Amino acid sequence: MAAHWLPGATGAVHLPWGFGAYRWRVSDGGTTLFVTLDRPGRRHTGDSLEAAYAGAADLAAAGVDAVCAPLPARSGRFTVHLGDAGAGEARRPRAAPGPGRSP
């Protein structure tokens, strides 16, 4: 997180939401990001994950309010390859998630 999106990241809280990926809330004391770790496999590759997140960013930039766009990493890409762990991405949550809701 610190190297790619949030230099002052001080902690991460696992969020047991969604299917097929791992999610955390990461904060630096002022900014909070929603972070996803996804492992490429049968459903997608690192390239297809990047394309999906880039497409979401394009939709948000075009004014589609329903999209919570990912943030580009310092590299300019939306995903970061994490070796055997998979690929990660980050975004600012639109609203605090409540019970039964994903951010």
Side-chain angles (χ1 to χ4, degrees), residues 4-61:
H4 302 288
W5 287 284
L6 196 59
T10 56
V13 176
H14 180 252
L15 303 171
W17 298 321
F19 301 94
Y22 303 94
R23 293 166 179 82
W24 291 270
R25 182 183 305 122
V26 178
S27 173
D28 69 356
T31 299
T32 298
L33 298 179
F34 175 71
V35 180
T36 302
L37 172 67
D38 212 334
R39 292 186 178 176
R42 291 188 347 230
R43 295 178 301 135
H44 47 71
T45 65
D47 288 339
S48 69
L49 283 170
E50 176 66 23
Y53 290 125
D58 288 345
L59 289 170

Side-chain angles (χ1 to χ4, degrees), residues 69 74 83:
R74 286 191 172 79

